[in-house]
Amino acid sequence: MSKPISIIVAGAIGFAAIVIILVIVFQGSARIPDMPPDRSRYPEQALTPEEITVNVTPRSDGSLQVSQRLIFDVTDEMKKPLSWYIGGEQIGWNTGVGDGPRYYVLPQVGEVSAQELSTAEGSTKENPAEVGDLTVTRENRSIDDPFSDSAVYDFTREKQAGEDSQWTPGRHVVDITYVLDDVYLNVDGHELFVLPLRFPSGSNEAPSMRTVSLEAGGPIQCLPDHTEFDPDAECTGLDKHRFTDDGTRLTWSEETSPSIEAIGFAAPENMQAEPIDAPERERS
């Protein structure tokens, strides 16, 4: 092979190698993070300071049964490490009128209970060791406006033997269950369940890995807050997220304040209740 030809061939091979490397690097940087590995021992749980795993079961009466597992870290500076703010969420506005009203979901919360699980060496998902039930207290804010009002739930635990504080620094695992009503809505002709993405959580400053799984119904769609009502099947408002193939499980990374306030999904076929019209409020 003559020298000019060998130089050209070598150059082409080098260029192809660079292209392949760039493609691999781009795919690695653009890839949506995978779910954290499924670990059986509670001390191994959570690759981030907080993980929230939520299972949602639609009920035929139009309510949602929610079961949540919260894994979070407590520091010495936290006075109330575990709390929950829940209230009305805006889910877009009327698309057919120029300056139409805003749509909301105003969930009614009931049957809240919580239990702490042990993070000791022998505590596993198959055979979890229980620490005890948490005390749940609700504080209603005195705001005479259902669209702006919210309830605050605090979760407290009894001080255990040998502990100096109510919530000892370190990792904690808590199971929380509750029911949401007034969340089966007719929104601009769309009949769907609406789940607000405000969950009981630890410090809102901590990075959080969150997963919502549907036991029935679906697929999941993200709902807008400050745009026209238009359910987004791709959830483009979430920077780092991924779906399962059937769209019934959504995982995302919550770095700071939430960019999506609620998700929606079609009801299963066994519904007995009719959806209620979504509450509306005129835009000011």
Side-chain angles (χ1 to χ4, degrees):
M1 182 182 296
S2 65
K3 188 173 182 180
I5 294 177
S6 63
I7 292 175
I8 293 173
V9 171
I13 294 173
F15 177 78
I18 292 173
V19 170
I20 292 172
I21 292 172
L22 289 174
V23 168
I24 293 174
V25 170
F26 175 78
Q27 288 179 340
S29 62
R31 183 175 61 87
I32 296 168
D34 288 334
M35 277 286 292
D38 188 21
R39 302 174 186 268
S40 62
R41 292 172 53 250
Y42 284 136
E44 297 176 330
Q45 292 289 327
L47 301 182
T48 61
E50 179 180 87
E51 283 187 20
I52 294 175
T53 305
V54 177
N55 291 313
V56 182
T57 303
R59 306 202 300 193
S60 60
D61 63 359
S63 63
L64 293 175
Q65 176 71 52
V66 182
S67 300
Q68 173 185 333
R69 173 152 296 161
L70 169 64
I71 304 173
F72 68 111
D73 288 339
V74 173
T75 66
D76 291 324
E77 295 75 23
M78 294 180 180
K79 295 181 179 179
K80 292 184 177 181
L82 178 53
S83 59
W84 182 26
Y85 291 78
I86 180 73
E89 298 291 354
Q90 186 187 154
I91 53 175
W93 58 68
N94 191 301
T95 59
V97 192
D99 214 14
R102 301 180 188 273
Y103 296 120
Y104 281 78
V105 57
L106 304 177
Q108 301 299 311
V109 184
E111 303 177 33
V112 184
S113 64
Q115 182 180 65
E116 184 179 14
L117 303 179
S118 173
T119 57
E121 184 68 24
S123 183
T124 66
K125 288 190 291 186
E126 291 75 19
N127 188 26
E130 300 175 358
V131 174
D133 294 334
L134 302 184
T135 300
V136 183
T137 57
R138 170 175 171 150
E139 174 189 348
N140 290 312
R141 295 190 169 187
S142 56
I143 301 176
D144 190 21
D145 182 352
F147 295 96
S148 303
D149 195 9
S150 62
V152 183
Y153 288 86
D154 287 322
F155 302 82
T156 55
R157 67 193 287 270
E158 291 186 8
K159 188 185 298 185
Q160 304 298 309
E163 295 179 348
D164 296 328
S165 60
Q166 183 188 86
W167 288 98
T168 55
R171 179 141 299 172
H172 292 265
V173 180
V174 175
D175 278 349
I176 305 164
T177 61
Y178 52 92
V179 173
L180 298 178
D181 208 349
D182 291 351
V183 290
Y184 185 32
L185 305 180
N186 184 335
V187 190
D188 200 21
H190 297 260
E191 295 184 358
L192 73 170
F193 275 104
V194 176
L195 175 69
L197 297 183
R198 291 180 185 250
F199 304 120
S201 63
S203 171
N204 290 329
E205 298 177 358
S208 179
M209 184 68 74
R210 304 188 173 194
T211 298
V212 173
S213 298
L214 305 181
E215 297 298 325
I220 293 172
Q221 297 177 304
C222 286
L223 302 183
D225 49 5
H226 299 296
T227 62
E228 293 182 348
F229 180 80
D230 186 17
D232 179 11
E234 301 298 325
C235 282
T236 53
L238 295 177
D239 292 332
K240 300 177 182 179
H241 71 282
R242 74 184 185 99
F243 286 100
T244 52
D245 291 339
D246 61 359
T248 60
R249 186 173 73 178
L250 170 65
T251 300
W252 73 99
S253 177
E254 193 77 69
E255 300 291 342
T256 53
S257 59
S259 52
I260 297 294
E261 304 288 353
I263 59 172
F265 59 93
E269 295 181 354
N270 64 339
M271 296 300 297
Q272 297 176 0
E274 293 293 327
I276 63 174
D277 291 334
E280 299 181 14
R281 185 180 193 179
E282 293 298 327
R283 284 191 279 172
S284 56

